[in-house]
Every structure is written in C-alpha cells, then in structure tokens.
Amino acid sequence: MSAIKRNRQRPIQLRIWANEEEAALIQERMDASGIRNFSAFARKMLIDGYHVNIDLSDVREMVVLLRRCSNNINQIAKRANETRSIYAEDVSDLRRQYDTLWDAANKILVGLAKIR
C-alpha cells in the first residue's frame, strides 16, 4: 500500500505488477465485462471475486410484450365501457400475448437461476 491521500473518496492506493500476457488477459476480461476503468474493475474483482455480465435482451423483449399487452387491455376495457360488449377474438388475442409474456418471463428466470 502506498501513501494515503486525504482529499479523495478512496484515499488508499493499491498497485499490482503483471507481465504482458497477464495484462492482455486482464484487458480482455475488462472488455468482456464492459468495465472500462481499471480501478473499478480491479476493486470489483478483488472485493467480490467475480464479475457477472448479464445479457438483458430478454428483459427488453419482455418489457415490449408488457407494453403491448397493457395497451390491448386498455383498448378492450375502453370498448367494453363504450359498447358494453367484448369480442371473443380480442380476448383470445390478449390471451396469446399473455402466454408469450409468461414464456419470456420463464426464460429469464431459468437463465437467472443458472447464475451462481
């Protein structure tokens, strides 16, 4: 550990030495994790021992499906309030979207369960 700098949020500096191969591997892992700051990456790895990079594309898809489903529910509710009737085709379409939404949610939960 080197000298303490008092006007910083993290006043203690730690240093490491690495050969070219190790430095390249560290840079590769930083790139894969999406962390560009070496200090932040090193702190994360030293404290937690690992870094998990999560692909959130399934979550984005689920948000899109939720928006579509809620939009359709609002349209059906509006029609029901105006005409006091609901079409069976609208309800079955809503049910298909709802099932697709649950499939996406299940896929996300299975993926998250694999993370250890």
Side-chain angles (χ1 to χ4, degrees), residues 1 7 15 18 21 35 44 49 52 54 58 67 78 91 97 104 109 113:
M1 290 190 199
N7 294 333
R15 298 181 191 184
E21 183 179 313
I35 300 175
K44 177 75 174 157
V52 177
I54 299 175
D58 292 337
R67 286 183 181 149
K78 182 178 178 184
V91 174
Q97 288 185 12
L109 292 173

Side-chain angles (χ1 to χ4, degrees), residues 19-72:
N19 62 30
E20 289 179 23
E21 183 179 313
E22 293 166 334
L25 185 58
I26 291 168
Q27 186 62 49
E28 201 175 290
R29 290 188 180 171
M30 280 178 58
D31 293 341
S33 72
I35 300 175
R36 293 189 177 132
N37 182 304
F38 173 75
S39 182
F41 179 77
R43 191 169 35 256
K44 177 75 174 157
M45 294 301 293
L46 290 167
I47 292 172
D48 295 342
Y50 61 92
H51 173 74
V52 177
N53 193 18
I54 299 175
D55 177 17
L56 298 177
S57 60
D58 292 337
V59 174
R60 287 186 200 101
E61 178 187 347
M62 192 168 83
V63 168
V64 168
L65 292 171
L66 276 169
R67 286 183 181 149
R68 287 181 191 163
C69 192
S70 64
N71 186 35
N72 288 343

